[in-house]
Structures are given as C-alpha cells and as structure tokens.
Amino acid sequence: MSSAFFRRVAGPNFRRGFQRSLLTASAPKARRSYFKASALVTSAIVGFSATAYTLGAIYPPPSWGILFPRTAPGPPDPTSPESIVYTEELEQRLQTLPLLESLRKQADADDWYEVRPYRNFPEERRVNSMTGGALKGPGKLALLPLVRAKKDESQSIVFVHLGRGLCGHDGIVHGGMLATLLDETLARTAIASLPDKVGVTAQLNLTYRAPTRADQFVVMRTFLGEVRGRKVTVTGRVEDLDGNLLVEASATFVQPRYAKLLNTEALKQAMGEPPKSHAPVHLADGQISSPK
C-alpha cells in the first residue's frame, strides 16, 4: 500500500490520533529518564559538597581560615618543661630556615653581622619592656629576634616568630603588634646613623597589604633613607618566608636635643654594635640611659 493511498484512506483525524498515541506511549519513558538524570545530578552535587567540606576542614582556604579560624589554647607557662622544649625546637627551626642559611652563604656575607635583641638585657629592665618582657614567651614572642645588619648600617633583615597570643582577630596578628615591631626595627637602622646614636620616633606610616597569620616566622627588612643632621628617614617591609608582602612602612627619627646628656656608649652596646668576632651580640630597646 502506497503512502499516498494511506494518507487518503486514513485522513487527518487518524494521523493526529496516531501521533497522540505515540507521544502518550513515550511520556512515561521520558519521565523516568528525567527523574533518573535528576537523581544522578543531585547525588553528584551532594557527593561533591561533602568532599569539599571535608577537604576544606582539613585544608581551609585562606579566606575561610580568616573568617572562621580554628580555636587554639592560650600561651602556656614559659617555665613549663613543654614550653622549654617548644622554644628549643623553634630555635632549631629558626637556625635552619632556608632563607637564613642562604643569606649566611652569600658572597657579601662578611659585610653583615648578626645580633639577638635582649640577649644580655638586665632582667630588672626586661620585666618592664613590652617586646622584651611582657610579650616574651611561647605563644607570643617565643624567640629573641635574629637581626642581620649590614656593617655600614644601611640595611637590616630581621627574623621574628609571631605566636597565636599576639592576635587581634583570632589567627591574625594584631596590626598594632606589627607596628611596634616595625618601629623598633626601623629605629635601630635610623639611630645608627644619627650623630650621637640616640633617636626617637617622629613619624611612622604603615600600609597593611595582607593579613599576617600567627604561628609563623616573618622577615622584616629595613633600608636607610635620607640622613640630614639630627633627622633620618627609613623604610621597611614585613614579608612571610615566601616573600609575600604583608606590611610596608616608612618612618622619620630625630635625635633629641638632650642626647648629649645620655650615656651613649651604654646605648650603643644595648642596640648591638657589630661584633668583633662572629659571636652574636644583643639588641635592646634603646632605653638604657643615664646622666653623665
């Protein structure tokens, strides 16, 4: 039977009915395929979400760790056996940092010297020093900073470990803490170039570029700027060990007019002059002074 004959015999009504029957027969199968596909998509989404949540809990992304930091206990008793062991291990980590080791092996290594702040600072003065006393200990400033300074005092590189007890937002070091450390570090570079080696902060400007996470070593770099009589300008920066910029700073230090009334020799010793040998010398907070 030809298709033309079939169309004449069947007519339009038959054709429409036949098409409707085909669509009606295929509808349940289409619905089953749709529901099956929807179930697969839903399962995939649930599985991906569970995996992402698990990985995020173990390895939180930076923004997640900042917004929802993990809780941590407060700073421990610095005299406890656990604290002593922790501090010793942290010191070993400091001495074996790849960056520090590479600096010690550079071609110009003999143009630099190392000092450790507060190493020989009198205990009766240390107790009333913020960075050398009140904030000293595990969970805070567990180690004495390690300063590598150029012998012409034009630059310095300072390694500091920042504990969890120095935070503003939990897990993020307080901006004021970074300002204090930068002020002291910049002051050392500036004061070494003042006529009587005595100076005070006249201006300190900071730009915070990224959050500084706690429980890590950071590197502070300082650079001598302009020296004009009793005024010195310096710049500096804080970086993590990967070289990421965290804070930028600039400052002006001036020598007070009463500088000649101070025991400048004691002040120079407190700040840490270039050692006569390779043994580190100490760096203090510049407060040792007495009338002549």
Side-chain angles (χ1 to χ4, degrees):
M1 181 182 297
S2 68
S3 58
F5 177 79
F6 178 79
R7 285 196 297 271
R8 286 197 299 271
V9 173
N13 292 333
F14 177 82
R15 289 197 300 274
R16 284 195 294 271
F18 181 72
Q19 290 170 352
R20 283 197 298 271
S21 65
L22 289 176
L23 292 173
T24 303
S26 62
K29 184 176 180 181
R31 284 196 296 269
R32 286 195 299 271
S33 299
Y34 172 78
F35 289 136
K36 185 177 180 180
S38 299
L40 289 174
V41 171
T42 303
S43 299
I45 292 174
V46 171
F48 175 80
S49 300
T51 302
Y53 178 84
T54 302
L55 291 175
I58 300 173
Y59 308 105
S63 58
W64 186 267
I66 292 173
L67 294 175
F68 305 100
R70 299 175 181 175
T71 58
D77 177 6
T79 62
S80 68
E82 295 80 9
S83 294
I84 294 174
V85 171
Y86 168 79
T87 304
E88 291 175 350
E89 293 177 347
L90 200 61
E91 178 68 23
Q92 292 177 359
R93 284 177 53 196
L94 169 64
Q95 295 296 336
T96 56
L97 290 175
L99 177 58
L100 178 57
E101 290 184 330
S102 67
L103 291 173
R104 287 171 170 169
K105 296 176 182 177
Q106 285 185 346
D108 67 342
D110 289 339
D111 296 334
W112 298 70
Y113 66 95
E114 290 187 8
V115 295
R116 298 301 294 269
Y118 305 106
R119 169 165 285 181
N120 299 319
F121 204 50
E123 187 60 28
E124 62 271 17
R125 299 190 66 87
R126 187 195 305 273
V127 293
N128 291 318
S129 168
M130 182 167 69
T131 53
L135 296 179
K136 182 178 181 294
K140 296 178 286 185
L141 297 174
L143 300 179
L144 301 177
L146 190 153
V147 179
R148 281 188 62 83
K150 211 162 188 182
K151 290 180 180 179
D152 63 4
E153 302 296 355
S154 62
Q155 297 181 44
S156 73
I157 304 173
V158 184
F159 293 81
V160 181
H161 187 270
L162 303 174
R164 192 68 174 266
L166 303 176
C167 295
H169 180 77
D170 193 13
I172 304 299
V173 177
H174 197 292
M177 184 72 253
L178 295 170
T180 298
L181 294 173
L182 274 166
D183 181 47
E184 293 189 352
T185 306
L186 292 168
R188 186 183 185 283
T189 299
I191 289 173
S193 296
L194 288 171
D196 292 315
K197 313 304 182 190
V198 180
V200 294
T201 309
Q203 189 177 54
L204 177 64
N205 300 307
L206 302 178
T207 301
Y208 296 92
R209 296 298 186 183
T212 301
R213 294 181 176 276
D215 290 327
Q216 68 164 329
F217 284 99
V218 297
V219 180
M220 294 187 290
R221 300 177 184 268
T222 68
F223 307 91
L224 182 65
E226 185 179 14
V227 180
R228 291 193 303 169
R230 296 188 302 111
K231 181 184 293 187
V232 175
T233 60
V234 288
T235 58
R237 53 196 287 136
V238 180
E239 303 171 348
D240 62 20
L241 291 178
D242 294 325
N244 298 310
L245 179 61
L246 304 174
V247 188
E248 287 181 303
S250 62
T252 301
F253 292 84
V254 297
Q255 177 175 294
R257 297 188 184 279
Y258 57 80
K260 292 186 180 298
L261 300 176
L262 304 177
N263 186 342
T264 55
E265 186 61 30
L267 181 59
K268 287 189 290 184
Q269 292 174 357
M271 292 186 61
E273 295 181 287
K276 296 179 181 180
S277 67
H278 292 293
V281 297
H282 73 286
L283 170 69
D285 64 354
Q287 293 182 348
I288 296 179
S289 63
S290 62
K292 285 185 176 180

